[in-house]
């Protein structure tokens, strides 16, 4: 698993980890039914606390991205890629709505807004 965490980010490590695993699932680098590393193994590989990995895994399971099977491990959830995609799009729409509202408050027109989005997309 190629997970990138930024210790200097304002975003908590468990949130970064959760986002990275979602990214890997959505990009299909992690496939349905594929086993994830144990919380301890992942924590050791990333140099973070087991508590941090436990929190990220718990939130991922609550969101339906992964399933934990006692005694067997943790796996990418099966058969719900459409639901996961819809959840991701809904999250994106919420965040975009916030930025659009801010752009309107700042009198940024649609062309300028789109130009900013295009520039950021290319970064």
């Amino acid at each position: 698993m190629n997970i990138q965490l930024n210790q200097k980010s304002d975003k908590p490590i468990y949130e970064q980890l959760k986002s990275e695993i979602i990214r890997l699932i959505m990009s299909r680098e992690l496939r349905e039914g594929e086993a994830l590393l144990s919380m301890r193994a992942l924590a050791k590989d990333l140099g973070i606390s087991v508590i941090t990995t436990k929190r990220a895994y718990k939130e991922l399971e609550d969101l339906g991205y992964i399933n934990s099977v006692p005694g067997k491990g943790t796996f990418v959830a099966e058969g719900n890629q459409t639901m996961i995609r819809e959840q991701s799009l809904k999250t994106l729409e919420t965040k975009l709505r916030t930025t659009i509202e801010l752009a309107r408050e700042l009198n940024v027109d649609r062309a300028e807004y789109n130009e900013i989005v295009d520039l950021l997309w290319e970064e």
Side-chain angles (χ1 to χ4, degrees), residues 7-47:
Q7 299 288 345
K8 295 180 181 178
S9 172
D10 291 337
K11 190 174 182 182
I13 295 296
Y14 79 92
E15 284 284 343
Q16 291 180 50
L17 177 57
K18 183 176 78 171
S19 295
E20 283 290 288
I21 292 173
I22 290 171
R23 178 186 62 77
L24 293 169
I25 292 169
M26 296 310 298
S27 69
R28 302 205 192 292
E29 288 181 54
L30 286 174
R31 302 263 182 207
E32 291 183 14
E34 186 173 339
L36 300 177
L37 291 175
S38 71
M39 287 182 257
R40 290 186 196 288
L42 184 58
K44 184 178 179 183
D45 282 358
L46 297 174

Side-chain angles (χ1 to χ4, degrees), residues 42-112:
L42 184 58
K44 184 178 179 183
D45 282 358
L46 297 174
I48 60 176
S49 163
V50 173
I51 294 169
T52 300
T53 57
K54 182 177 182 178
R55 184 169 181 183
Y57 274 26
K58 169 79 170 91
E59 289 192 13
L60 288 164
E61 188 163 19
D62 290 347
L63 292 169
Y65 287 96
I66 63 175
N67 294 317
S68 294
V69 179
K72 296 197 182 239
T74 304
F75 304 87
V76 176
E78 294 188 39
N80 63 355
Q81 288 297 319
T82 302
M83 183 270 304
I84 290 171
R85 181 74 175 157
E86 286 300 316
Q87 283 180 332
S88 297
L89 290 174
K90 184 176 180 179
T91 300
L92 178 61
E93 287 172 11
T94 300
K95 292 187 183 275
L96 284 172
R97 186 170 285 115
T98 301
T99 64
I100 289 168
E101 289 170 2
L102 178 59
R104 288 178 178 153
E105 288 174 17
L106 298 174
N107 294 317
V108 174
D109 66 32
R110 179 180 253 177
E112 290 174 308

